Amino acid sequence: MPVPDLNITCRKLIEWAEPLLTEEESTKTRQVIELFLQSGGEGEKLQNELIEWNNQHTQSNWSAPVWQNLYLESRDSLVINSNVFYYLKSKLDEKACSQANIAAALIVCVYNFVSLIDKKELTVDMQKETPLCMNQYSNLFSSIRIAKPGTDEFKVSSSRKHIVVMHNQRIYKIDILDEKGSIRSATAIEFDIDCILSISEKGQNLGLLTTMQRDAWAQSRADLLQLSANNKKAMTAIEEAAFALCLDENKPEEITEVSKQLLHGDGKDRFFDKSLQFIVFKNGKTGMNFEHTGVDGSVMLRLVGHIYDTIDKVSFDERGASAETKGALASSAEEIEFDLDDALRQTIRAAADSFSQHTANTQTRVLNFTQFGKNQIKQFGVSPDAFVQLALQLAEYKLYGKCYSAYEAVMTRTFLDGRIDVLYTVSPESMVFIQNIRDADCTTQTKIDSLIQAARKHIERANECRFGHGVYSHFLALKYRYKAAGHDIGINTLPEIFTDIGYQALTHSVVCTSTTSDYGVDLAGYGPIVDDGYGIRYFKRNDSICFNMTSRTAMQGKLEQMQIYIEQSLLEMADLMRQSK
């Protein structure tokens, strides 16, 4: 990915931020940008530093370490703030199959995917005719985010032999590969899981520690490992596990309840540091919760698609399941127990209280809009994604009488080690559309034309981001170079451009959105990224649009209004487009 031209990025900063600013603020931001761009000034120094860094690391992408560090430097709890969930569509009959049966089928089919990655047999992801970088797949399994003071560490192990299973606040290790490196039979794995499910006494609930604020967990983790050699060994078994399987006691039926259980759960049987946790509920419903440092949604979706395509083809050997064989089998599941002192026990109790407060401070709403979907929007001659994004802006305008910054993630995997860039969706064109559609004196045709113009602008910006010409990643990288080398190049304080109202207004994303294909997925979601904002994950289906929406509890009233306004806005825009000549 080439380093973008600094003048162009700065010009975009003012263009993208302007609809969010007053005239006075806009003038101030222009002055700050001029100062930043002065010959021999801070901008030029940081840009040269970034270009030089990029030239020294030609085998990588200048934005990749910046995104990874953005995650690792955050000190907030991973729960809700960072980790993302998917609720999987299932081809298995949840009423006929047991929890252990579904979990075993899931494990086998995920291990088949691991094998495709390890043998480099996974077909390359494509975006239309363009192949995408496949490097993120190597971060998917046997990986973990390790809490460290100041900045966490992301660690990937080559181990594939075992997984960890969490049930009843206990943690178990199950070998999935046998001595020859082959996947054990689904029947044998199911037997191990049944044995785990039969143990009813509650365990230590050590996974709760991973819900803590990162610096606090880093300290407790160090204390835990110092306590005994057994603890180091136990932690290594969790770190090197291919993934975690959480066998939940809960049986969520209603979609909002499923969403909450997958996003944060009730503080039992999770290990949020693991890159990948599969959650199988007692009623057979299945989902995943993933830690974002090493992987983005597009990669996760490929795994989800594989599960959906193959889970009903996993065969269980009937003969192996007969009673006398089962009697002769000994479970190979091995419990992982930690040595705890009073201080650590107290920390776990305190973490339980903090977790309850943290989850009580989050609201989830699911809006399943069924009046129409992308098929209808395409008939209007408009991009379905642009249409939904404009409806979100219109809803926000109805709620606040203005638009704050809105964020949509755009994948940059057409480049080596590409992650994402941020498409800021509020544009001068979208503001014109909103003014027009709300103006009783404006003609229908003018309203329609302005909707089409705003949708075109959205697609134009999405393409700029896709091809490495966004604003956010470039500024993030310049800030990163300031932190790493500012003193060496004579910049001792953070340049004003980063504290100026223009940059602040643009990057304070009140509406944070994301969408992908919905193949194999019923729902996905995450928390808001700012306290006065909303996390909105949506799927555009042929005849419906599904939104998973979150906010802090203080914003509950606004979240519920937002839901009503989104529905209203979609209908209003569709009515308008149906009048098109």
Side-chain angles (χ1 to χ4, degrees):
M1 189 192 276
V3 176
D5 179 297
L6 185 63
N7 288 298
I8 294 174
T9 301
C10 286
R11 198 172 70 228
K12 275 185 196 159
L13 172 63
I14 186 64
E15 183 203 322
W16 292 20
E18 207 147 36
L20 313 168
L21 305 174
T22 63
E23 217 164 298
E24 203 178 311
E25 289 168 342
S26 187
T27 306
K28 167 82 177 7
T29 293
R30 285 175 188 278
Q31 288 166 352
V32 170
I33 288 173
E34 287 310 314
L35 186 68
F36 187 66
L37 286 174
Q38 270 180 353
S39 179
E42 293 174 329
E44 191 179 292
K45 287 178 179 171
L46 288 174
Q47 177 77 349
N48 290 340
E49 173 61 34
L50 178 59
I51 290 167
E52 195 178 320
W53 184 92
N54 192 45
N55 292 340
Q56 286 167 2
H57 301 81
T58 47
Q59 289 313 302
S60 180
N61 176 327
W62 56 270
S63 78
V66 176
W67 274 99
Q68 189 147 315
N69 260 54
L70 183 71
Y71 291 115
L72 295 176
E73 284 175 357
S74 168
R75 302 290 82 200
D76 291 332
S77 166
L78 298 184
V79 188
I80 300 165
N81 300 316
S82 180
N83 285 21
V84 175
F85 82 81
Y86 283 110
Y87 172 35
L88 308 187
K89 273 194 177 93
S90 183
K91 284 183 178 171
L92 299 178
D93 181 348
E94 291 163 358
K95 299 205 165 35
C97 301
S98 69
Q99 186 180 14
N101 186 254
I102 289 172
L106 179 75
I107 292 167
V108 170
C109 114
V110 173
Y111 258 83
N112 286 329
F113 191 78
V114 174
S115 167
L116 290 174
I117 293 173
D118 289 351
K119 293 178 181 162
K120 297 196 166 29
E121 287 172 2
L122 197 63
T123 55
V124 174
D125 290 336
M126 303 292 285
Q127 193 165 50
K128 293 183 176 146
E129 276 74 63
T130 312
L132 299 179
C133 175
M134 300 293 280
N135 285 354
Q136 281 185 42
Y137 286 97
S138 60
N139 292 337
L140 200 47
F141 297 105
S142 315
S143 50
I144 191 159
R145 175 166 160 178
I146 297 173
K148 292 280 168 85
T151 301
D152 289 354
E153 179 192 332
F154 181 66
K155 186 171 163 188
V156 184
S157 134
S158 58
S159 149
R160 294 292 192 243
K161 195 166 164 95
H162 72 276
I163 64 168
V164 287
V165 179
M166 312 194 63
H167 175 67
N168 229 338
Q169 305 175 40
R170 295 172 177 271
I171 305 174
Y172 301 86
K173 175 182 165 186
I174 297 185
D175 284 345
I176 304 301
L177 300 182
D178 63 19
E179 272 56 57
K180 299 189 184 113
S182 306
I183 303 170
R184 294 169 59 217
S185 79
T187 308
I189 295 168
E190 182 183 8
F191 175 73
D192 284 345
I193 292 170
D194 267 325
C195 292
I196 288 172
L197 288 171
S198 69
I199 296 166
S200 57
E201 301 83 38
K202 302 249 182 296
Q204 301 170 320
N205 205 15
L206 194 103
L208 249 182
L209 297 174
T210 67
T211 68
M212 289 162 66
Q213 194 266 354
R214 300 307 287 174
D215 282 339
W217 168 215
Q219 182 58 58
S220 295
R221 188 179 176 281
D223 295 345
L224 185 70
L225 297 185
Q226 236 175 339
L227 204 59
S228 70
N230 169 56
N231 286 357
K232 284 191 184 134
K233 186 179 161 211
M235 192 60 86
T236 302
I238 295 171
E239 286 171 7
E240 294 185 349
F243 53 85
L245 170 72
C246 311
L247 298 169
D248 246 43
E249 283 296 296
N250 295 310
K251 297 182 272 203
E253 289 299 339
E254 203 268 317
I255 189 88
T256 313
E257 199 43 48
V258 174
S259 174
K260 289 178 188 171
Q261 289 298 332
L262 291 174
L263 179 62
H264 50 73
D266 58 8
K268 301 182 186 90
D269 302 319
R270 300 283 187 276
F271 207 91
F272 288 99
D273 292 5
K274 279 303 275 180
S275 294
L276 198 49
Q277 304 185 80
F278 286 99
I279 298 152
V280 180
F281 295 107
K282 203 163 189 139
N283 56 4
K285 292 183 190 303
T286 305
M288 63 206 308
N289 182 295
F290 77 89
E291 198 285 309
H292 222 318
T293 302
V295 279
D296 295 316
S298 59
V299 167
M300 218 37 102
L301 218 81
R302 177 78 189 269
L303 168 59
V304 169
H306 170 86
I307 294 169
Y308 183 68
D309 287 340
T310 60
I311 194 161
D312 56 339
K313 298 179 179 69
V314 174
S315 68
F316 285 81
D317 176 6
E318 289 310 312
R319 288 160 317 181
S322 69
E324 60 268 29
T325 341
K326 282 216 163 170
L329 276 176
S331 168
S332 65
E334 175 191 327
E335 187 167 2
I336 297 173
E337 284 188 278
F338 286 83
D339 300 319
L340 300 177
D341 57 16
D342 289 344
L344 281 161
R345 284 191 194 93
Q346 178 50 43
T347 303
I348 293 174
R349 282 195 291 275
D353 293 341
S354 305
F355 178 83
S356 300
Q357 286 167 9
H358 182 45
T359 54
N361 189 28
T362 305
Q363 292 295 316
T364 294
R365 297 290 179 277
V366 177
L367 164 61
N368 197 13
F369 177 85
T370 53
Q371 282 87 330
F372 59 84
K374 63 184 177 197
N375 288 350
Q376 171 72 78
I377 301 171
K378 283 177 187 165
Q379 286 174 353
F380 300 147
V382 177
S383 142
D385 194 58
F387 190 91
V388 172
Q389 285 288 343
L390 286 169
L392 290 172
Q393 282 181 51
L394 180 55
E396 191 189 8
Y397 194 90
K398 288 176 176 184
L399 185 56
Y400 294 106
K402 67 174 284 187
C403 282
Y404 294 96
S405 184
Y407 164 130
E408 182 179 6
V410 175
M411 173 175 74
T412 58
R413 281 176 56 212
T414 52
F415 296 100
L416 175 70
D417 284 331
R419 294 287 309 249
I420 60 167
D421 209 341
V422 177
L423 160 57
Y424 290 108
T425 59
V426 180
S427 65
E429 289 81 354
S430 69
M431 293 315 293
V432 168
F433 157 67
I434 288 171
Q435 302 301 343
N436 286 349
I437 198 168
R438 293 179 65 76
D439 179 357
D441 299 331
C442 184
T443 68
T444 299
Q445 197 53 49
T446 305
K447 291 177 182 180
I448 290 169
D449 291 345
S450 63
L451 189 154
I452 290 168
Q453 278 306 109
R456 279 193 192 133
K457 187 66 185 179
H458 181 86
I459 296 304
E460 192 183 298
R461 279 195 187 175
N463 285 328
E464 285 174 36
C465 292
R466 195 167 288 126
F467 298 115
H469 304 296
V471 169
Y472 186 73
S473 290
H474 190 187
F475 271 111
L476 200 60
L478 294 171
K479 200 174 181 180
Y480 187 54
R481 291 325 300 155
Y482 157 74
K483 280 188 198 165
H487 286 298
D488 307 341
I489 54 174
I491 305 178
N492 297 318
T493 52
L494 183 68
E496 191 186 354
I497 196 161
F498 294 106
T499 54
D500 174 67
I501 184 69
Y503 181 79
Q504 290 293 328
L506 187 65
T507 55
H508 185 84
S509 302
V510 169
V511 177
C512 175
T513 72
S514 169
T515 185
T516 42
S517 130
D518 66 336
Y519 189 75
V521 187
D522 268 328
L523 197 69
Y526 46 78
I529 57 172
V530 292
D531 284 341
D532 57 346
Y534 313 88
I536 303 180
R537 186 72 157 77
Y538 59 93
F539 288 115
K540 308 169 298 287
R541 303 199 160 107
N542 288 337
D543 301 306
S544 65
I545 307 164
C546 185
F547 299 85
N548 189 86
M549 305 163 60
T550 58
S551 77
R552 302 280 181 244
T553 294
M555 301 275 293
Q556 182 174 344
K558 286 195 163 59
L559 179 69
E560 285 163 3
Q561 279 177 289
M562 186 77 163
Q563 183 174 335
I564 292 164
Y565 288 142
I566 290 171
E567 199 154 4
Q568 256 184 29
S569 301
L570 287 165
L571 292 169
E572 199 178 323
M573 286 164 59
D575 285 345
L576 175 66
M577 293 311 285
R578 287 190 184 105
Q579 298 171 59
S580 182
K581 292 183 179 60

